[in-house]
């Protein structure tokens, strides 16, 4: 095992060295964005393989991101029996959502309303990824926006996959050109050579586009650490990636007025209970906190305090119920061994 890990580490070191060279020669490199993307994908692929060798088993999963809660984690327990568990990664994710005033103070922006104005303009592409969203009259922003946009000179290109779109547009243009030349083949001298050239270019670009959108390359969620393989344009900005579960965690942070409307609570209920100290236990972990001049609350607090918070129990395989997934079978065997030891 150690030799295999050494091989992975050696290969990762080589890939990182290659990436450094590509970044250094970025301006001279043809299809530089794709070449860098490709090497980064190889790095992630080897990191995924390493992680699989270091697989840790756990009896519990986070009720939000569905990832394992290890012995080193200290989850927040909620619900009637404490069966709803929130891992430290999700707690961190929840606390990264800020109101515009808090983010402006954090960034030292001298013009109040700058972030709010940007949410209506250049930051719009981030709405689909839940990194910004409007909660009643207030904009809520994930703090990663500071790194993606504000700390790099408010460049909008950092928020767009422009190079992927450009590659797809170029592919479509070449296909149109080839189709036209095929139709005019008998009229244009040397059209055969031009058609062959276009065909090779189309094949090259098609392979690259398929590789990007095919759901074969691994991405690691920057929030919960899960490995993602999904078809279509990947959700990533630079080195930042977010999975669908974490998008849901983020989107469930809201203002108190939105929470009251969503769950049919009387207006002012949360403010009243806050003044009475009935929500203090949620403040400890940032599930209910003040951001600038507004209070932010996670949906799970409303369910725990005013409704019913249910936890999805993970079924334990019994008898002949054998999973087709190797990791699940291994986890089942491990859990049974641990249960038998505790029984002894």
């Amino acid at each position: 095992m150690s030799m295999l890990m050494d091989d992975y580490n050696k290969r990762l070191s080589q890939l990182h060295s290659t990436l450094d060279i590509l970044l250094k020669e970025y301006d001279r490199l043809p299809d530089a964005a794709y070449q860098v993307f490709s090497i980064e994908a190889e790095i992630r692929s080897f990191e995924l393989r390493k992680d699989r060798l270091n697989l840790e088993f756990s009896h519990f999963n986070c009720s939000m991101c569905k990832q394992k809660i290890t012995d080193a984690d200290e989850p927040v327990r909620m619900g009637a029996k404490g069966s709803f568990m929130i891992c430290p990664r999700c707690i961190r994710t929840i606390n990264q959502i800020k109101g515009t005033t808090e983010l402006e103070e954090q960034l030292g922006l001298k013009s109040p309303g700058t972030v709010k104005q940007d949410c209506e303009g250049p930051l719009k592409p981030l709405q689909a990824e839940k990194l910004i969203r409007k909660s009643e009259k207030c904009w809520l922003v994930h703090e990663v926006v500071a790194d993606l946009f504000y700390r790099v000179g408010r460049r909008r290109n950092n928020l767009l996959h422009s190079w992927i779109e450009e590659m797809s547009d170029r592919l479509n243009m070449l296909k149109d050109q080839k189709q036209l030349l095929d139709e005019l083949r008998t009229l244009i001298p040397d059209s055969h050579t031009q058609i062959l050239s276009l065909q090779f270019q189309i094949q090259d670009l098609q392979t690259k586009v398929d590789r990007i959108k095919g759901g074969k390359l691994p991405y690691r969620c920057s929030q919960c650490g899960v490995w993602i393989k999904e078809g279509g344009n990947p959700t990533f900005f630079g080195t930042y990636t977010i999975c669908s579960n974490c998008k849901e965690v983020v989107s469930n942070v809201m203002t108190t007025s939105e929470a009251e409307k969503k769950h049919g609570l009387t207006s002012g209920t949360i403010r009243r209970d806050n003044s009475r100290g009935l929500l203090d236990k949620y403040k400890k972990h940032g599930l209910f906190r003040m951001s600038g001049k507004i209070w932010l609350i996670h949906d799970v607090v409303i369910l725990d305090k005013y409704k019913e918070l249910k936890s999805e129990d993970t079924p334990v395989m019994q008898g002949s119920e054998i999973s087709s997934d190797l990791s699940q079978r291994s986890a089942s065997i491990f859990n049974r061994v641990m249960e038998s030891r505790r029984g002894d």
Side-chain angles (χ1 to χ4, degrees):
M1 180 69 76
S2 61
M3 290 181 62
L4 185 58
M5 292 295 288
D6 289 342
D7 288 341
Y8 280 148
N9 289 330
K10 183 178 179 181
R11 180 58 180 152
L12 279 170
S13 178
Q14 292 171 347
L15 288 169
H16 279 292
S17 297
T18 302
L19 180 60
D20 290 339
I21 294 172
L22 295 185
L23 292 174
K24 184 178 179 181
E25 302 294 342
Y26 191 90
D27 293 334
R28 299 171 54 200
L29 195 67
D31 287 333
Y34 174 78
Q35 303 297 350
V36 170
F37 168 85
S38 185
I39 293 297
E40 288 177 338
E42 287 294 316
I43 291 172
R44 292 195 301 272
S45 180
F46 272 89
E47 288 176 343
L48 170 59
R49 296 178 204 178
K50 277 186 62 178
D51 277 7
R52 284 176 173 170
L53 291 176
N54 292 323
L55 186 64
E56 294 182 0
F57 296 113
S58 171
H59 290 284
F60 306 107
N61 289 339
C62 173
S63 300
M64 286 189 174
C65 69
K66 314 304 180 188
Q67 298 307 300
K68 294 180 179 66
I69 294 178
T70 65
D71 293 338
D73 293 330
E74 294 184 9
V76 176
R77 291 179 175 268
M78 300 176 69
K81 298 181 180 179
S83 59
F84 191 98
M85 290 183 282
I86 309 175
C87 71
R89 294 172 294 280
C90 284
I91 292 295
R92 179 175 66 90
T93 298
I94 291 168
N95 280 272
Q96 287 174 324
I97 305 302
K98 305 177 184 298
T100 56
T101 301
E102 183 183 6
L103 188 62
E104 287 171 351
E105 291 173 353
Q106 181 179 314
L107 292 169
L109 298 178
K110 297 180 180 179
S111 301
T114 298
V115 176
K116 181 179 179 181
Q117 184 178 353
D118 289 339
C119 286
E120 303 279 3
L123 295 179
K124 269 191 174 181
L126 300 182
Q127 289 189 46
E129 312 305 338
K130 311 299 183 184
L131 296 179
I132 69 166
R133 79 176 195 91
K134 202 165 190 178
S135 178
E136 291 298 298
K137 297 180 181 180
C138 302
W139 281 99
L140 305 183
V141 185
H142 192 293
E143 68 176 22
V144 75
V145 174
D147 295 324
L148 297 177
F149 186 68
Y150 291 100
R151 293 195 177 105
V152 290
R154 297 178 71 185
R155 292 199 297 268
R156 190 170 184 267
N157 285 342
N158 292 333
L159 309 180
L160 302 174
H161 301 155
S162 56
W163 64 273
I164 300 178
E165 294 168 3
E166 288 171 4
M167 187 177 290
S168 297
D169 291 343
R170 184 148 54 105
L171 176 61
N172 292 330
M173 181 189 70
L174 291 174
K175 287 180 177 179
D176 289 340
Q177 290 177 349
K178 181 178 178 297
Q179 182 179 353
L180 179 61
L181 283 177
D182 281 333
E183 294 171 356
L184 302 177
R185 181 192 296 264
T186 58
L187 303 177
I188 301 177
D190 299 325
S191 61
H192 179 70
T193 304
Q194 296 178 55
I195 290 172
L196 281 177
S197 175
L198 286 172
Q199 186 173 331
F200 287 128
Q201 293 179 63
I202 289 170
Q203 288 176 349
D204 177 55
L205 281 176
Q206 188 69 62
T207 300
K208 292 175 179 176
V209 170
D210 289 345
R211 187 164 186 256
I212 295 168
K213 299 183 178 182
K216 298 178 181 178
L217 299 176
Y219 299 88
R220 189 166 200 169
C221 177
S222 302
Q223 299 294 154
C224 70
V226 67
W227 286 101
I228 314 161
K229 284 189 178 182
E230 298 174 347
N233 273 353
T235 298
F236 72 99
F237 303 95
T239 58
Y240 180 83
T241 317
I242 184 168
C243 70
S244 55
N245 281 335
C246 287
K247 287 180 186 178
E248 184 177 355
V249 172
V250 166
S251 64
N252 281 327
V253 177
M254 60 194 76
T255 58
T256 55
S257 56
E258 181 187 359
E260 288 170 345
K261 286 184 179 180
K262 179 179 178 180
H263 292 282
L265 300 178
T266 304
S267 179
T269 298
I270 297 175
R271 181 174 57 185
R272 179 201 65 203
D273 289 346
N274 181 32
S275 65
R276 294 175 178 176
L278 301 179
L279 301 174
D280 287 353
K281 67 177 182 178
Y282 302 110
K283 295 178 183 178
K284 178 182 178 182
H285 302 289
L287 295 171
F288 179 53
R289 72 181 189 90
M290 179 161 272
S291 174
K293 297 180 180 180
I294 61 174
W295 282 96
L296 299 182
I297 192 166
H298 195 276
D299 196 60
V300 73
V301 174
I302 306 298
L303 295 174
D304 189 48
K305 177 65 179 174
Y306 303 101
K307 304 291 181 177
E308 182 181 3
L309 185 59
K310 297 180 180 179
S311 176
E312 296 180 5
D313 295 327
T314 303
V316 179
M317 290 183 293
Q318 301 290 338
S320 60
E321 295 181 9
I322 301 175
S323 171
S324 59
D325 184 85
L326 178 59
S327 63
Q328 289 185 13
R329 292 206 304 269
S330 301
S332 175
I333 294 170
F334 176 84
N335 289 335
R336 290 178 188 177
V337 170
M338 296 303 293
E339 289 291 343
S340 64
R341 288 180 179 177
R342 280 196 291 271
D344 295 340

